[in-house]
Every structure is written in C-alpha cells, then in structure tokens.
Amino acid sequence: MTHSLIEIHGNAILLAADVGPVIGSENDALDLIGEALGARASLIVVPVARLAPAFFSLKSGLAGAILQKITNYHMRIAVLGEVPAEALRSQPLRDFITESNRRGQTLFVPDMAALEARLV
C-alpha cells in the first residue's frame, strides 16, 4: 500500500492512499499508526472510502476503538471526504462529527483545502 508523507503548516501528515484495503479493525489502524510513527507524522489522513461502513455506525464500536487507538499513540486523524448520506441520517453520528471537529483530535473534512484551513 502506498501512502504519502506531506507537510501542511509544519504538520507532518501521513496521507493514506485513496485505494487500498478497507480499514475495518484496530489492527488495520495499528498498521497506519506504525507507518505514521515511522515517518514521524503526527496526523493520519484517511479517505472516507477506505473506512469500513461499520465505522459510521456508532453502535458497532469500530470508530471508538480505532480513534482511541490513535489517541493512545498521541496522534490525530482526519477523515477526508463526504461522509455517506445514509450514515448522516443518524443524529448521534452527526453530533459525534460536530463534537470531534470542535475538539480537533479527530477531524472530518470534505477536502484537502478544508483540512489545510483547520491546521492553520
């Protein structure tokens, strides 16, 4: 899997490839964390299409498990792209996205321009 290391406003960022295996477990997250640590990145950017559908169902616990793992390693994550409309029908998910963006540890951004604006 090919990922890119980029820098935005002094932040070293591991940009996960648009195409690749679905991230659907804590072990998948650990693979990304390991790569980010090796590259000395403090932020992992994951395209929304790479996340398993269960990530957007808060009842599954997948988002919580993955995000906690990333937090435990003192890293941040940005989910890049539009969250699926069917997932956004969930008020708890919308609230989670709003609160995550407010706190800044986890970001949900529609595109790289929005991410860059958040990292200023």
Side-chain angles (χ1 to χ4, degrees):
M1 158 173 19
T2 305
H3 302 305
S4 303
L5 184 63
I6 62 173
E7 186 176 318
I8 298 176
H9 303 299
N11 296 285
I13 299 167
L14 180 73
L15 179 59
D18 289 337
V19 178
V22 170
I23 300 163
S25 71
E26 288 181 62
N27 285 337
D28 296 336
L30 283 173
D31 291 342
L32 281 175
I33 291 166
E35 191 167 343
L37 289 172
R40 299 186 186 271
S42 60
L43 173 65
I44 300 170
V45 177
V46 178
V48 72
R50 293 280 308 278
L51 294 168
F55 183 90
F56 298 104
S57 173
L58 296 181
K59 289 186 218 178
S60 75
L62 182 60
I66 288 174
L67 298 177
Q68 185 62 53
K69 191 68 67 181
I70 290 169
T71 299
N72 289 347
Y73 282 89
H74 306 287
M75 304 189 84
R76 297 170 66 199
I77 185 171
V79 176
L80 182 68
E82 296 296 330
V83 174
E86 60 274 8
L88 288 175
R89 290 188 191 117
S90 164
Q91 184 63 46
L93 179 63
R94 289 194 312 267
D95 292 345
F96 174 74
I97 290 170
T98 299
E99 183 64 16
S100 294
N101 282 338
R102 187 183 69 75
R103 291 178 181 254
Q105 180 70 30
T106 300
L107 299 171
F108 290 84
V109 293
D111 52 39
M112 288 301 288
L115 177 62
E116 188 170 340
R118 287 297 310 255
L119 296 177
V120 174

